[in-house]
Every structure is written in C-alpha cells, then in structure tokens.
Amino acid sequence: MKKITFLCLAFILPLGIMAQEFPLDFEVSEDDNWSAFNGATVAVLVDPTNASNQVLELTSNGADFDGASINMGTYIDLSDDNNNTITLEFWTPDATTRTHLLKLEGASSSPTVTELYFSTSVAGWQTVTLNFGPGLANDYPILVLFADSGEGNTATGTYYIDDIDGPNGAVIPPDPVPSGPATVPNAPDSEVYSIYNDSPGFSTNFPVAYTFGTLSGEPDLDASATENKALKFNFGVAGWGQGEGGPDDVSSYGFVSFDYWAGPTVVGFDFVLISNNGGITEHKYQISIQEPVVNEAWTKVQIPMSFFTNIGFANTALWQWKFSPLNDSVDNSGIVYVDNILLTQNLLSINEFDTESFSAYPNPTNNDWNIKSNSFMSKVAVYDILGKEVLAITPNTTETTIDASTLKSGVYFARIEGVNGTATLKLVRQ
C-alpha cells in the first residue's frame, strides 16, 4: 500500500517515535517524520519513476523560504574537515535553473547553524554533493530542506528527494517530557480569545494564516484517550510563532495567559506580542526577567494586557505572536512545552483551573492582605500592573500576611508557588 504522510504548517513529532540516522532512504517509517513550513507540503510516497522505491516529495508554494525539516535520532557530525560532505538524490520536473538550500540547525557550540545553497538545472534525477566548510560542530540534530530558496525567490515546484547521506555522530539523548498535560482551563467561552488551545475549544480564535521559525513538535501529553496537545520548543535552535492576515482588534481583553513546562537547563525565554498599526513592533514579556523561570513543573503565567500596551503594543492591531529564546540567544538552550495561550477579559480564577483553594482578605485593603491556602505555600510574589515584582516573601506555611502599607493604591497580582504548582490572585490596594 502506498504510504503518504502530509505534515503542514506545524512541526508534528509524536512522542515515542525516534527520528532516523543517515542514510535517509525513506524505506523505514522513521524517515517519514518530516514537517513542512511556510506553506510547503511534504510526503513520503512511492517513487513515480520507480514503483519499487519510496521517496520524499517536497512541494513549494512560492514563499521565499518554504520547505520541510526532520529531527534526527542521531546527530549529524561535521566536525571532521575531511568527512563533512552530505549527498542526496534530487529530482526536478524540467531543466529550469532552480535554487534550493540545505540547512543544519541546533548544535550546542558555534556555529550552531550551517547551510549551503545548491542549484539544479536538469530534468529528472541528479546527485547533489554538498561540501561543508571547516570548523563545524559534531552535534546538529535538525536537517532542513528549502524547496525554492532565497530572498525574493517565488518559484514553485514539486521535487523528489532520496538517499540523503552524510556522517553520523552520537545518538541524541531523549528530550525531557512532562509527566502529563497542563491543567485544562474552564473559562467562560464569551470571555476568551484563544491563540493556542485544543482542550476545550473556544469560539473566538487567532486566525492563523502562516507560521514562522522552528517548532520541535506538537505532542499529545495526555496518556488517556482524551487528546491534549502542547507546543514543543527547542530554544537551542530557534523560536516559533504564527501570523494572520489581519490585524485583529483584541482591545476588549484585559489579560494574557499561558502555561509552560521548562526543561532542567532552561534559564528563561521570551513571549512576544507583535502589532501592526502603521508599523510592525514587537513587545516582550520575559520569563526570568518579569518573573522567575520554574523548571520541570507546569506553571501558569498571567499578564495584564496593560503590560504590553504600556510598552507600545497596539491592542487594536494584533498581527503575530511568538515564543523565542531569552534575548534571542540560542545559548539559553532547552526544551519548553507551552499550552493554553489565551486572551481573557478577566483574570482566570483559581477555581477555573482546578487547583488548590487560595483566598486573600481583606481585599481591597489599606494595610495588609492575609493569604490563606489549603496547601503549603513556598513563595508569594506580588507584581504591579506592569508586571514588575514589588514584594516577595517565603512563608513556608499555609497562611501568611503581606504588608501592603508601602504600596501605592492600585491593582496588584500575587503569584503563589506551592507543592501543587502555582496560582495567581488579583489584589487591590485602596
């Protein structure tokens, strides 16, 4: 039976399936795990020129840089200057001169990325030999093929690729994986604008027109029959985001929230809202700067929309969003899973996330807030409306008091860390 796998827009790698090592000949299932981006399509199918063979079919759509990638199970090792050549068989439909690109990403040391352009100008199959330069790394985990590549290259075509070969390195250790999914939100549908969320679905959603960057997968983290996916990022490689044709007016929403699970090596990352209101501008909320990173536990982040508007975000003109390595440096590497990226009209309450019960009283207050929990609290941090931490205590108990006498009148948020995760409370100082 002909085996066809279409993977479009998002990078999808199911948990438990290992990617392959060289050579990639598309005769085993591991070689199928390619993911398309920027509107290209990719499939493993029976070779139209030889029914006993299987090949990779890659079709471009006219974008400058469209193509597909695969996460390898064994590193690509280009550290030996006498053995750093990659070869592949490449089929083109006619003799038109076409420009393509092979790129390797994600090495742990510089250069973390290396690439070579190549051209084809004959109809049918040809052998492409790519001789990479000296001084390269021994641990590239991602191979990317761009179909018709280059700034302003709007060519389109369907190509077949076979027998990609090169030097293998060490076996890639498995990525850290959460023990389960993030808690499912239960906010009122009428109050939510969903950027990314699959369980439950919401009526108002970010109208995705395209993606950009590199996503490492969209695994289902729920071991039961109920599907609950999350976005998987490798910030040692790149960030990833989505855009729309809009822009979209989200001025009726007062808060931005998402859940994340960071691997043990992650020191932080950036969440960015991008508006297009007479000019494209990016506006960052930085995990490790605005709030400390939490490793190896699902953590909820809730940000007042005013944090973004106060640094220039036009909430009537949402155009793109993305997650990026901290300060755009891939040296801050590691795996991060993200789920439930939502804009909400109101702060998501504790009960809406089925976490432990917390309370604050009196609220509003003139002097102190008393914080009470059904579980042990390890830290309580108070943030102002701009997301700046203004107070922090480590109660190590189930009840504590926050002295608000030095704070100005206004709205604040308490982020509570405990044995059962994190939670956020809205506080008002009169």
Side-chain angles (χ1 to χ4, degrees), residues 169-214:
V171 174
I172 299 174
D175 290 333
V177 180
S179 59
T183 305
V184 175
N186 189 28
D189 182 73
S190 61
E191 297 181 3
V192 174
Y193 177 105
S194 176
I195 292 178
Y196 178 83
N197 169 265
D198 67 336
S199 180
F202 292 100
S203 299
T204 305
N205 296 279
F206 182 81
V208 178
Y210 54 90
T211 64
F212 51 91
T214 300

Side-chain angles (χ1 to χ4, degrees), residues 18-361:
M18 288 295 293
Q20 183 58 292
E21 63 180 9
F22 284 146
L24 300 173
D25 59 13
F26 308 104
E27 302 299 330
V28 294
S29 60
E30 290 89 346
D31 292 358
D32 293 7
N33 293 323
W34 288 77
S35 302
F37 54 87
N38 284 352
T41 60
V42 66
V44 172
L45 45 70
V46 173
D47 182 353
T49 69
N50 180 358
S52 65
N53 188 39
Q54 292 203 130
V55 296
L56 184 75
E57 179 188 71
L58 179 60
T59 301
S60 58
N61 79 330
D64 290 1
F65 294 93
D66 52 0
S69 76
I70 186 169
N71 286 40
M72 302 293 286
T74 299
Y75 289 118
I76 301 169
D77 182 357
L78 298 185
S79 61
D80 183 352
D81 295 346
N82 296 314
N83 183 26
N84 58 2
T85 298
I86 293 178
T87 60
L88 62 152
E89 300 298 316
F90 202 95
W91 183 95
T92 54
D94 53 45
T96 302
T97 299
R98 301 165 184 266
T99 301
H100 320 282
L101 175 64
L102 188 146
K103 183 177 183 180
L104 306 177
E105 299 179 340
S108 61
S109 59
S110 183
T112 59
V113 174
T114 186
E115 62 186 28
L116 281 179
Y117 283 90
F118 63 95
S119 296
T120 56
S121 57
V122 299
W125 287 102
Q126 60 188 290
T127 300
V128 174
T129 301
L130 300 173
N131 296 309
F132 283 82
L136 298 178
N138 65 354
D139 60 348
Y140 295 97
I142 299 175
L143 185 150
V144 188
L145 275 171
F146 294 83
D148 290 289
S149 185
E151 197 71 35
N153 188 341
T154 58
T156 60
T158 295
Y159 310 104
Y160 303 121
I161 298 101
D162 201 5
D163 298 328
I164 306 173
D165 203 2
N168 287 310
V171 174
I172 299 174
D175 290 333
V177 180
S179 59
T183 305
V184 175
N186 189 28
D189 182 73
S190 61
E191 297 181 3
V192 174
Y193 177 105
S194 176
I195 292 178
Y196 178 83
N197 169 265
D198 67 336
S199 180
F202 292 100
S203 299
T204 305
N205 296 279
F206 182 81
V208 178
Y210 54 90
T211 64
F212 51 91
T214 300
L215 188 69
S216 289
E218 193 182 8
D220 180 6
L221 299 176
D222 194 334
S224 70
T226 303
E227 185 176 77
N228 193 340
K229 294 181 179 180
L231 300 173
K232 179 184 177 183
F233 297 86
N234 181 351
F235 289 131
V237 175
W240 184 85
Q242 296 177 327
E244 60 153 302
D248 208 1
D249 185 344
V250 293
S251 58
S252 63
Y253 299 94
F255 299 90
V256 183
S257 66
F258 59 87
D259 296 297
Y260 76 87
W261 189 99
T265 64
V266 176
V267 299
F269 58 91
D270 296 345
F271 172 65
V272 187
L273 289 181
I274 304 168
S275 56
N276 187 356
N277 186 25
I280 299 169
T281 54
E282 298 190 358
H283 311 279
K284 293 181 179 180
Y285 186 89
Q286 297 184 285
I287 302 299
S288 90
I289 306 299
Q290 269 71 50
E291 62 179 85
V293 66
V294 177
N295 298 97
E296 299 184 282
W298 279 108
T299 302
K300 175 160 292 298
V301 176
Q302 297 202 71
I303 313 161
M305 181 64 79
S306 57
F307 171 86
F308 292 101
T309 57
N310 285 337
I311 58 175
F313 174 68
N315 61 358
T316 58
L318 172 63
W319 188 54
Q320 294 175 336
W321 66 271
K322 66 179 181 180
F323 283 88
S324 299
L326 184 65
N327 293 321
D328 294 317
S329 172
V330 294
D331 293 335
N332 301 308
S333 61
I335 301 297
V336 175
Y337 298 81
V338 175
D339 199 1
N340 304 321
I341 311 170
L342 306 176
L343 309 184
T344 58
Q345 293 178 2
N346 296 295
L347 189 71
L348 292 166
S349 73
I350 298 304
N351 290 335
E352 286 170 335
F353 282 86
D354 298 326
T355 58
E356 293 297 313
S357 176
F358 295 85
S359 61
Y361 61 92

